[in-house]
């Protein structure tokens, strides 16, 4: 994960996937949100605090996995990508590239 964060100039990004958080304490309210697609299947919420710690929540209608990328210019080359999902046995995985 250090590779992902090293290119983001000191800002820490946390990604919360609601389907992975059942039984956890209530999530913080995030002030900003947007649907990322015309079908309203991908919903992104985010917020930041005074220390510039950013929190993201990504809600996706999915078949068990999701990918999310960060890019300084909105393009795939040079972006950092997080892939996460749930295996059929219920275990969770995350991968950063």
């Amino acid at each position: 994960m250090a590779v992902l964060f090293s290119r983001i100039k000191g800002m820490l990004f946390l990604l919360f996937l609601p389907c992975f958080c059942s039984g956890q304490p209530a999530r913080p309210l995030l002030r900003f949100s947007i649907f990322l697609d015309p079908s309203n299947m991908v919903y992104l919420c985010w917020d930041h605090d005074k220390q510039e710690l950013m929190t993201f929540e990504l809600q996706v209608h999915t078949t068990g996995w999701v990918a999310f990328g960060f890019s300084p210019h909105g393009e795939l080359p040079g972006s950092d990508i997080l892939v996460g999902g749930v295996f059929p046995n219920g275990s969770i995985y995350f991968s950063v590239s």
Side-chain angles (χ1 to χ4, degrees), residues 3 6-7 10 13 15 17 25 31-32 34 49 51 54 60 66 68-69 72 80 89:
V3 173
S6 67
R7 291 191 228 161
F13 291 93
L15 177 66
L17 301 176
R31 295 179 291 169
F32 309 101
I34 189 169
D49 63 15
Q51 292 79 31
M54 295 192 72
V60 182
V66 65
F68 190 74
D80 295 307
N89 68 2

Side-chain angles (χ1 to χ4, degrees), residues 4 9 15 19 24 28 37 48-49 55 61 73 82 86 90 97:
L4 171 69
K9 298 185 180 180
L15 177 66
C19 61
Q24 298 294 322
D37 67 319
H48 60 87
D49 63 15
T55 302
H61 292 276
H73 305 291
L82 172 87
V86 180
S97 61

Side-chain angles (χ1 to χ4, degrees), residues 6-74:
S6 67
R7 291 191 228 161
I8 304 180
K9 298 185 180 180
M11 297 181 99
L12 176 62
F13 291 93
L14 300 176
L15 177 66
F16 294 100
L17 301 176
C19 61
F20 300 157
C21 299
S22 61
Q24 298 294 322
R27 295 183 308 266
L29 296 176
L30 304 177
R31 295 179 291 169
F32 309 101
S33 64
I34 189 169
F35 282 101
L36 298 179
D37 67 319
S39 302
N40 294 343
M41 302 285 282
V42 181
Y43 187 62
L44 177 65
C45 303
W46 71 95
D47 205 346
H48 60 87
D49 63 15
K50 292 177 184 175
Q51 292 79 31
E52 296 186 355
L53 175 72
M54 295 192 72
T55 302
F56 288 93
E57 177 180 324
L58 187 62
Q59 299 176 18
V60 182
H61 292 276
T62 180
T63 58
W65 67 275
V66 65
F68 190 74
F70 297 96
S71 169
H73 305 291

